[in-house]
């Protein structure tokens, strides 16, 4: 399984970005997918996750109402739409997948995921 996150960049506070996660060797029609981020000097944290079988989602309180996750089965991609970005959203963002359809409570645990892609940098600054 290979994952590649893309779509990061420099954006002003209040702006939007859409991150993409493309996969080879993994189908986004089943299992679980998560978005995580890590800022310099900070621990990795979960952002948003989806159980792909029924599209159940979990998200971090810090992104509530601002971020959403979606998927496109035809392209075999998952997206993280990020709106109303804040400087504290600055981080490297990673997508991760698991073949398991995790219970909702486990979707935001990094240990639930077996496959990780290279990250994409998001910088929110004026």
């Amino acid at each position: 399984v290979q994952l590649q996150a893309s779509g990061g960049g420099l954006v002003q506070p209040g702006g939007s970005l859409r991150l993409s996660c493309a996969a080879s060797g993994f189908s986004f029609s089943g299992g679980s997918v998560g978005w995580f981020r890590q800022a310099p000097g900070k621990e990795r944290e979960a952002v948003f996750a989806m159980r792909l079988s029924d599209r159940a989602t979990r998200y971090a309180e810090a992104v509530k109402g601002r971020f959403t996750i979606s998927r496109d089965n035809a392209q075999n991609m998952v997206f993280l739409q990020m709106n109303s970005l804040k400087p504290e959203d600055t981080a490297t963002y990673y997508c991760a997948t698991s073949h398991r359809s995790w219970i909702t409570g486990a979707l935001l645990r990094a240990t639930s995921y077996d496959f990780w892609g290279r990250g994409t940098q998001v910088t929110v600054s004026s």
Side-chain angles (χ1 to χ4, degrees):
V1 175
Q2 291 188 326
L3 304 172
Q4 180 62 57
S6 61
L10 173 64
V11 63
Q12 292 187 343
S16 298
L17 282 174
R18 188 177 79 155
L19 305 185
S20 301
C21 179
S24 61
F26 183 89
S27 171
F28 286 119
S29 60
S32 305
V33 61
W35 284 97
F36 294 79
R37 66 186 181 186
Q38 187 166 21
K42 294 187 177 181
E43 292 187 356
R44 179 176 55 190
E45 62 177 353
V47 177
F48 224 117
M50 177 187 285
R51 185 171 58 234
L52 294 162
S53 59
D54 61 0
R55 303 197 183 203
T57 61
R58 285 289 304 276
Y59 51 85
E61 193 64 25
V63 305
K64 182 179 179 180
R66 301 188 298 122
F67 291 13
T68 58
I69 191 171
S70 63
R71 71 177 183 186
D72 185 322
N73 285 349
Q75 297 184 66
N76 199 39
M77 296 180 72
V78 167
F79 305 98
L80 182 69
Q81 179 67 44
M82 306 187 297
N83 299 326
S84 302
L85 283 162
K86 304 175 181 180
E88 51 263 44
D89 294 318
T90 296
T92 301
Y93 284 70
Y94 302 87
C95 61
T97 60
S98 169
H99 289 297
R100 294 190 62 174
S101 293
W102 288 104
I103 59 172
T104 305
L107 286 173
L108 293 181
R109 298 176 191 165
T111 54
S112 295
Y113 297 91
D114 305 303
F115 308 105
W116 293 78
R118 293 186 177 183
T120 185
Q121 177 66 38
V122 172
T123 302
V124 185
S125 175
S126 55

